[in-house]
Amino acid sequence: MRRPVMAGNWKMFKTQAEARAYFSALVPLVQGSTHCDVIVAPPFTALAAAVEAVRGTAISIAAQNMHWEVEGAFTGEVSSGMLVEAGCRAVIIAHSERRQFFGETDETANKRVKAALAAGLTPILCVGELLAEREGGKTEEVLERQFQGGVAALTGAEFSRIILAYEPVWAIGTGRTATPEIAAEAHRFLRRQAAASFTPERAAGLRILYGGSVKPDNIKGLMAQVEIDGALVGGASLKAEAFASIVNF
Ligand code: PEP
């Protein structure tokens, strides 16, 4: 039985003060929500405030990216050790916006995944096809390439510590959600990839989140699919009440 995960990705939204206000609203709404893991990913500058605000609760704080080197002359970058020290437990890796706007490749995603695992963080590795790729019948080819590239050279034990997020790019921030059936089909494909590359047992334990315009009114249908183990939520995670109703679907 896989434990569901509801993760919120704030992207480049919210100051420290806004983060504190958000958690004072969210914490009471999800404190009885023991059926799933709750993760929130604020921007770097609000991480410490978020960690402080969730102290003593079951909510985990994640970063939205990290560099793979431990330290060095990499202006503008943040390392895994810095995230751990700030109190992060997880990190989103290779979000489609990183792939689209900041040159993320499967190779750099893999370096980040390995570095996150080495530091004791849970990587949330994102994969997903563009609209043109779906329409061109290339969805499985793209998912296979991104999955295999992202998890390359992981040991079975390392693989068991990652979370995968299937985020079709055409559904992110567009209001156009994949139907539960479309999402589940992609999840089944990814799980088959995991079984072939690792073992059926490890594949069965892999938590695969769906992301792409998840809202309080569509989460129930998505979660009705046994293949969908939770959600990675962008826009709707910015309001504590909306994110809480997704958590408490
Ligand atoms: C995301 O940013 O990962 C995402 C899925 O965004 P949205 O929910 O706004 O589509």
Side-chain angles (χ1 to χ4, degrees):
M1 189 60 184
R2 296 182 293 268
R3 185 172 162 75
V5 184
M6 295 300 180
N9 171 18
W10 287 0
K11 312 193 185 197
M12 200 171 71
F13 291 98
K14 294 196 192 294
T15 62
Q16 297 185 50
E18 288 164 344
R20 287 187 202 100
Y22 176 94
F23 285 109
S24 21
L26 182 72
V27 167
L29 297 174
V30 301
Q31 65 191 359
S33 314
T34 53
H35 61 285
C36 68
D37 291 341
V38 179
I39 302 176
V40 178
F44 290 131
T45 50
L47 286 175
V51 166
E52 192 51 43
V54 303
R55 203 176 294 285
T57 76
I59 302 170
S60 299
I61 299 301
Q64 298 173 18
N65 186 30
M66 53 164 265
H67 198 273
W68 53 86
E69 292 291 346
V70 169
E71 59 182 7
F74 301 107
T75 302
E77 295 293 327
V78 169
S79 75
S80 57
M82 294 168 187
L83 299 182
V84 170
E85 188 205 30
C88 290
R89 304 242 218 98
V91 55
I92 298 172
I93 290 177
H95 187 278
S96 66
E97 287 151 17
R98 303 293 319 168
R99 292 181 189 265
Q100 209 175 336
F101 305 124
F102 301 100
E104 185 81 273
T105 64
D106 296 325
E107 196 184 0
T108 54
N110 182 242
K111 289 183 181 181
R112 291 183 220 278
V113 167
K114 286 186 191 152
L117 288 166
L121 292 163
T122 299
I124 304 173
L125 172 65
C126 302
V127 297
E129 79 285 1
L130 302 168
L131 182 59
E133 291 167 337
R134 174 158 285 270
E135 290 178 345
K138 292 195 164 21
T139 298
E140 294 196 345
E141 188 187 310
V142 171
L143 294 184
E144 178 172 358
R145 190 186 68 233
Q146 293 181 344
F147 173 80
Q148 296 295 347
V151 303
L154 294 194
T155 64
E158 286 171 335
F159 178 72
S160 290
R161 291 173 45 213
I162 78 163
I163 294 175
L164 196 63
Y166 168 59
E167 299 211 309
V169 180
W170 47 270
I172 297 180
T174 58
R176 187 178 164 185
T177 328
T179 62
E181 293 72 25
I182 288 177
E185 195 185 338
H187 286 213
R188 274 192 291 277
F189 175 77
L190 289 164
R191 207 175 294 287
R192 283 200 298 278
Q193 289 288 313
S197 302
F198 296 91
T199 62
E201 292 71 29
R202 295 212 189 268
L206 174 68
R207 295 188 290 180
I208 309 179
L209 316 185
Y210 166 75
S213 298
V214 173
K215 304 273 181 283
D217 62 5
N218 59 26
I219 186 66
K220 223 179 159 104
L222 289 160
M223 291 304 288
Q225 296 284 333
V226 286
E227 271 302 329
I228 300 181
D229 303 314
L232 180 52
V233 188
S237 75
L238 290 171
K239 293 237 173 341
E241 296 72 19
F243 187 53
S245 56
I246 290 171
V247 169
N248 297 322
F249 66 97

